[in-house]
Structures are given as structure tokens and as C-alpha cells.
Amino acid sequence: MEQRFVDWLRRHVPPVPPPAIGIGDDAAVLPWRAGGDIVLTTDTITDKVDFVLAETEPRLIGHKALGVNLSDLAAMAATPVAALASVVLPRAVSGGGDPCALAMEIYSGMLALAEQFQVALVGGDTNSWEGSLVISVTAIGRVTSRGPLTRSGALPGDRVLVTGRLGGSLLGRHLAVEPRVREAVLLAERYELHAGLDISDGLALDASRLAGASGCGIALELAAIPISAAAEQLARQTGKSPLEHALGDGEDFELLFTAPPDAAEQIVRDQPLSISVTDVGQCIGTPGLWQVGDSGALNPLAPTGYQH
Ligand SMILES: [Mg+2]
């Protein structure tokens, strides 16, 4: 299995331009220009936690495994450069499938996304065991000349913005991750941003984390939150409101960021992305997560979302 798979990988992974060394040697080598900081991230996804293998196309699982890592690079406003992937396959694939074929399909999903974002897949490791499918990806990126966008730079008075529309990811988007890499880099290069992250566990929970990391509070204007069609659709099945889905579902993989009021106003006016950017609230001096009522009064807002 191992040799057959490695041969397949060598044929399917695009070669890296020298002096870089990709798959085939004991370790990968990347040229790195001086002065540009390296951004590193890793994420593991597991059968029955992050996806259900028996119900999912393996290519989509591979896409998600790399996609969540690229989303974390986007959150730092970093450009992805390379990635390493480790796959631990179930020895007995349900339905009597071939573990090697499963590995190839998973990597095909990763490779398609890697090509889209010009990420070099420079290392791959596979093993099998008695447990369920586990995929761990490590991604490497570089910051823009503005440096990394962190969670901790928000200041009271900043506006809070989100890309795209939120909620209902369970209907498909949680697998078909669209990492907002180009969007994050464009925003960070063109505008003054103070803090940011990718919404992985829900707008409310992630906003409260950004606020906590920055030592401020965030007051969301609930009526302004852009709700996805999927959230509306899911709400018809769950009895929750579309807004509750937008606040708490998670795995939207959209960007949540803060900017000083002038920059935020400019971004909303320019709409520089192919997806919408919406002003959803404000950073305030009082810690915690709040909602702005009709009269402008602040009420506490529960940081609902996916707790690991
Ligand atoms: Mg993240």
C-alpha cells in the first residue's frame, strides 16, 4: 500500500521548482526570502467529529483538511506557501473499500485546492490503524509587508466587520471550505486593519474570543448580521431562528476583523471583494460580548458556538 501510494503521489503532486525539494526525500526544503516572517498552523480532522466518512465523498474530506488550515493562514492575513499532510486510514474501509484508493481520493481533494491557491504539497505520510480516518495538515505561509493580522490588536472604537454571509454551514459549507486567503491579503494590504480571525466556531463565540484577546468588548448589531440562505433553510428544519444559526453554527470560514471607523467605512463603501463585507458592530471598552438594542442600550449576548 505504502509504495503504491507514494508512487501515485509522485505522479500527481506538481514538482516544486529547485532549489526547493518536495516529496521523495526524507524532508522537504523551501527557499525563504529574508525578512518575511513565517506563519505556521496545523489542524487535525477526524471521522465522526469533523465529517462522516460513510456519508461523504473522500475528495471533500481532503479539501476540508487543507481548507481549514488555509483559512487559519487567511485569518493571519498570510499567503499560503506549502503544506504537509498526514493521513491515518482505517484498516477496514466501510463497504469493503480499498484504503489505498481512499488515500488517493483524499489527496486528490487536497491537490485541487492546493493548485487553486498555489500551495506546494511538499510532504505526505500515510499509515493505517484499527481506528477511524484521521487527517492532519500543517500549512506554512508568509505575511504581507503589513505583518500578521492577530486577534489581539482591536481597540475600543473599532468597527467590527465580516466577509460573506453566515450560518447553516452544516448544509455543505463546512466541507466545501472556501478559505478567504485572497480576501484577507487584499484587505490587509489595502486598508488599516487592527485584528482578525476566521469564523470557525461561530460568530458569537469567535467575536468574544477576539474581544478577550484584545482586552476589549464587542457589541454586535444583530439586525446587521448577514445571514446566509443556508441558515434560512436550516432554520426551517431546526426550529431555531436564522439569526441563531448565523451567530452560533460555526465553520463559516469567513473573516471577522476590526478596523478604525474611517477604514471600515471605506471598506464598506468600496466593497473590494467578490463577496460582501458588512459592518456588524463595534469594539467597546467594557469587556464581554454585547448586543446593541433598539434604543442603543447594551445587553449581554451569549457567546454561543462550537466548544471543542
Ligand atoms: Mg482560526
Side-chain angles (χ1 to χ4, degrees), residues 237-294:
Q237 303 166 21
T238 59
K240 287 207 271 179
S241 70
L243 177 64
E244 284 174 290
H245 281 290
L247 282 169
D249 279 359
E251 300 215 288
D252 295 299
F253 301 110
E254 294 293 350
L255 303 167
L256 171 74
F257 60 98
T258 83
D262 312 3
E265 205 178 298
Q266 190 70 45
I267 293 167
V268 171
R269 202 178 319 129
D270 291 351
Q271 288 297 321
L273 310 178
S274 60
I275 49 170
S276 59
V277 186
T278 311
D279 182 323
V280 295
Q282 190 178 6
C283 296
I284 57 174
T286 317
L289 186 66
W290 307 85
Q291 54 176 309
V292 185
D294 291 338

Side-chain angles (χ1 to χ4, degrees), residues 72 75 151 198 200:
D72 273 329
R151 293 182 174 201
D198 63 321
S200 50

Side-chain angles (χ1 to χ4, degrees), residues 53-54 92-98:
L53 176 59
V93 177
S94 64
D98 170 17

